[in-house]
Amino acid sequence: MACKCGGYYYTLNAKASFDRDLAKTRKFLLRNVSVIRMFTSGFFRSKWRSIAGKRRILSMDAREKSRSTILESSKDKRVPIFVMMPVDIFTLDASGCPRIRKLKALTVSLKALKLAGVHGIGVEVWWGIVERFSPFDYDWSLYEELFKLISDSGLKLHVALSFHSNIHSTHGKGGVSLPLWILEIGDVNKDIYYRDQQGFSNNDYLTLGVDHVPLLSGRTALQCYEDFMLSFVNKFESFIGTVIEEISIGLGPSGELRYPAHPFGDGRWKFPGIGEFQCYDKYMMEDLKMAACREGKPQWGDKGPQNAGCYNSLPSGVPFFEEGKESFLSDYGRFFLEWYSGRLICHADAILAKAAKILKKYQENEQTSVMLVAKIGGIYWWYQTLSHPAELTAGYYNTALRDGYDPVVSVLSRHGAALHI
């Protein structure tokens, strides 16, 4: 058996080649397993013993209890393959209205995928296309055409409700912005977007600071998301649970539950920089001030950490991400990170609660059951440090001494949502 991938040709039935690859793989796995920090009886055990002492790994919120379900599995069960629709499937015509690109070629491609054994197609449903021109003016015609095309080809659908923009990640080629009426509001009030410590922002996603502030033509951000989801379900009710098997709810940049701490495409950040905290819009800062006052430390609410470096800093030499009196291990550091990550979790909780309520009637019926899904980012770089700085700036309060993902997945579990990484 042979396959072509990315222009390279691999022969898979040559035993010598297979043995070499297996040896390399085993060596790679053993090398990487050897650096994983070991946990015994809740205690941290590694070369950082002098740092951790007898401190336990802390769960982010003691009230959140991890729950898991073991699904029955069988060697005979098949894994359905889904193919993602290209990001540039839509283009703008001469009048500025979106349309499907290369419709005839797409039709042929869908039929070919079905013949190849593909189960379904993943499609991003963009807020910036459907409610493009004015509030409550939902135009689903493009997706009606696309979904019918996919359904007629005998394929299923995974739908991602996308409340973000991908203009920066696509460098303007085939990208989709936020709705134009949102951008008009943002031209007057840039604080509806996330800001960094220099005051820079981009219009990829609304700051969670406006989740409950009615700045968007009289609606809050949460109300905008809820209205969009309701309109989608009402329009495609006949598809849900039959053609549409999964609905992913966008929770942040790239649809992921995180802050835009590592913005790519605008030149501010390059891998493997630690990124920057994104809490300097006035609505987030007002919330930080209130949280600091409740803590009895009003001075903590004036600004975010001032010793946390910049986008392209490395952890070494950045005081906030090392040990010390003013680090992430300090009282202030713990307060700030609990607030910063906690607001992100509340954001997911609020949106997923609305989504679960809207989809409840479908999930109660086995014949129309649809899976609710949420995405988190895979922020892996600097994981072998004590502070995990890239995760902290992204909003995941996960360090060598603390479990930051348990409360995230607990929120998903509470609303019956699956996790997409």
Side-chain angles (χ1 to χ4, degrees), residues 119-378:
H119 184 73
I121 305 296
V123 176
E124 291 169 309
V125 176
W126 296 95
W127 186 24
I129 288 179
V130 177
E131 198 179 359
R132 183 174 180 79
F133 296 107
S134 57
F136 295 108
D137 184 13
Y138 302 107
D139 183 356
W140 295 103
S141 57
L142 272 180
Y143 289 102
E144 286 182 288
E145 184 179 5
L146 182 60
F147 288 3
K148 186 177 186 303
L149 200 63
I150 293 170
S151 177
D152 289 348
S153 299
L155 296 162
K156 301 297 183 179
L157 270 165
H158 280 187
V159 172
L161 302 185
S162 301
F163 299 110
H164 64 283
S165 162
N166 68 348
I167 289 291
H168 291 97
S169 59
T170 58
H171 304 286
K173 297 179 180 179
V176 180
S177 71
L178 293 183
L180 299 182
W181 61 274
I182 291 285
L183 297 181
E184 291 174 359
I185 296 171
D187 289 339
V188 178
N189 180 10
K190 292 190 181 300
D191 284 291
I192 67 172
Y193 309 124
Y194 289 113
R195 282 182 181 268
D196 62 22
Q197 58 186 338
Q198 287 82 33
F200 292 112
S201 64
N202 66 51
N203 50 17
D204 283 347
Y205 190 77
L206 296 174
T207 170
L208 59 80
V210 300
D211 277 358
H212 301 283
V213 186
L215 297 171
L216 310 174
S217 295
R219 287 186 292 172
T220 67
L222 288 179
Q223 288 171 332
C224 289
Y225 305 147
E226 182 179 21
D227 291 339
F228 185 89
M229 291 187 287
L230 277 169
S231 180
F232 171 82
V233 167
N234 289 335
K235 172 59 68 173
F236 297 106
E237 186 170 18
S238 61
F239 279 64
I240 294 177
T242 53
V243 177
I244 299 174
E245 296 184 344
E246 175 181 304
I247 298 177
S248 176
I249 308 298
L251 299 173
S254 299
E256 299 167 354
L257 177 64
R258 61 175 174 85
Y259 292 99
H262 312 95
F264 51 90
D266 63 5
R268 283 183 291 169
W269 171 82
K270 292 182 180 179
F271 179 86
I274 60 177
E276 290 188 12
F277 293 111
Q278 306 287 314
C279 60
Y280 290 90
D281 63 86
K282 67 181 181 181
Y283 306 105
M284 289 284 285
M285 290 306 298
E286 287 172 359
D287 192 90
L288 177 60
K289 288 177 181 178
M290 289 189 291
C293 288
R294 289 193 297 268
E295 192 72 14
K297 299 282 187 178
Q299 68 274 19
W300 287 354
D302 293 337
K303 50 188 174 293
Q306 298 299 291
N307 58 349
C310 58
Y311 284 109
N312 296 307
S313 296
L314 306 184
S316 178
V318 178
F320 189 77
F321 298 115
E322 295 186 322
E323 293 181 87
K325 294 182 179 179
E326 297 181 351
S327 74
F328 74 101
L329 295 170
S330 67
D331 289 343
Y332 167 74
R334 286 193 292 268
F335 158 78
F336 175 79
L337 292 172
E338 285 175 359
W339 169 80
Y340 188 69
S341 59
R343 290 293 287 111
L344 200 64
I345 291 171
C346 289
H347 177 68
D349 193 22
I351 297 177
L352 291 178
K354 295 180 181 298
K357 183 178 180 181
I358 292 170
L359 294 176
K360 184 178 180 180
K361 71 175 183 178
Y362 302 99
Q363 294 177 325
E364 288 176 342
N365 185 341
E366 291 185 3
Q367 293 181 341
T368 61
S369 181
V370 62
M371 184 180 293
L372 176 63
V373 180
K375 292 171 66 178
I376 66 169

